[in-house]
Amino acid sequence: MAIRPRTSAPSGRRDRLRAWLVAGILFIAVAGGLATDAADGPAFTITTRRDTDKVTISVEKDQTVFVVRSPTGIGRAEIARTGENWPAGVVARLHLKGLESFRVANGKVTLAVAVSGRGDEQRVRVWKDGKEDAPLDAKSPFWTDVRRVGRGDGKPADDGYFEVPLPRAFFEANPKSIELNWIDFYR
């Protein structure tokens, strides 16, 4: 009786094993790439004054968007970076019915924005360091173009929001944190 050395798995079983091995390697490669992207992306610690206020982060195109949802319409949030620097583009997206007051401070500079009016008569005012009587214009490095998205009766619809791009000059000193304060309408 001759003893034959055992050969590897039959061809069909070997092919399935190879397929699973290749699929596993591809999965690890893709998942590893996603983890790297997430680790390389912006990281922040966000603290709100009220538990009902929510600030989430969305990365869209070349900007980081802080999405604010505030059921009471009045709130505050501190956003601290955990990475080395702030992203090149930062936007505050405020899901509010109005924007009576929005302030953002970095410890040295405070920018303020107010939007008033109805429909096409919207008026935006931007000022710095509490000097409301000296509004900024488009020539200022701290100017921002406030945009209202989703209109209903001259105000954002329930799913609408105000978008406030934060100027690059605001981040020149690379502050460790920024503070957002918002009021939809004075009550």
Side-chain angles (χ1 to χ4, degrees):
M1 167 182 219
I3 299 177
R4 285 197 254 156
R6 183 166 185 174
T7 59
S8 56
S11 177
R13 188 171 166 198
R14 191 175 332 140
D15 291 342
R16 282 193 303 274
L17 184 60
R18 274 193 197 136
W20 278 105
L21 184 61
V22 169
I25 291 170
L26 287 173
F27 175 78
I28 290 169
V30 169
L34 292 175
T36 301
D37 291 345
D40 292 343
F44 304 93
T45 302
I46 300 172
T47 309
T48 58
R49 178 182 296 161
R50 292 184 175 94
D51 291 340
T52 56
D53 291 336
K54 303 295 178 210
V55 179
T56 57
I57 302 168
S58 171
V59 178
E60 300 173 10
K61 297 181 184 174
D62 58 346
Q63 59 190 9
T64 298
V65 181
F66 294 106
V67 181
V68 175
R69 294 186 187 275
S70 178
T72 65
I74 299 173
R76 174 189 170 280
E78 180 180 348
I79 302 170
R81 65 176 168 77
T82 57
E84 290 291 319
N85 297 299
W86 287 89
V90 177
V91 174
R93 182 175 293 160
L94 305 150
H95 285 264
L96 302 171
K97 296 198 183 293
L99 193 58
E100 189 75 30
S101 174
F102 173 69
R103 286 179 301 140
V104 58
N106 66 14
K108 293 184 179 185
V109 174
T110 300
L111 296 179
V113 173
V115 178
S116 60
R118 298 170 84 49
D120 293 335
E121 296 176 24
Q122 172 179 299
R123 197 175 103 203
V124 176
R125 292 179 300 122
V126 180
W127 63 95
K128 181 176 159 253
D129 298 330
K131 298 177 184 170
E132 192 171 353
D133 58 339
L136 301 177
D137 61 20
K139 295 176 189 171
S140 170
F142 291 99
W143 173 255
T144 183
D145 283 318
V146 178
R147 195 167 67 104
R148 181 172 53 189
V149 178
R151 293 168 57 155
D153 188 34
K155 301 176 281 192
D158 288 339
D159 61 342
Y161 53 86
F162 291 90
E163 199 164 80
V164 183
L166 302 181
R168 192 68 211 142
F170 184 75
F171 295 100
E172 279 182 357
N174 198 27
K176 183 66 181 158
S177 65
I178 61 174
E179 183 179 296
L180 309 179
N181 290 275
W182 59 86
I183 300 174
D184 62 356
F185 291 110
Y186 286 113
R187 286 157 173 58

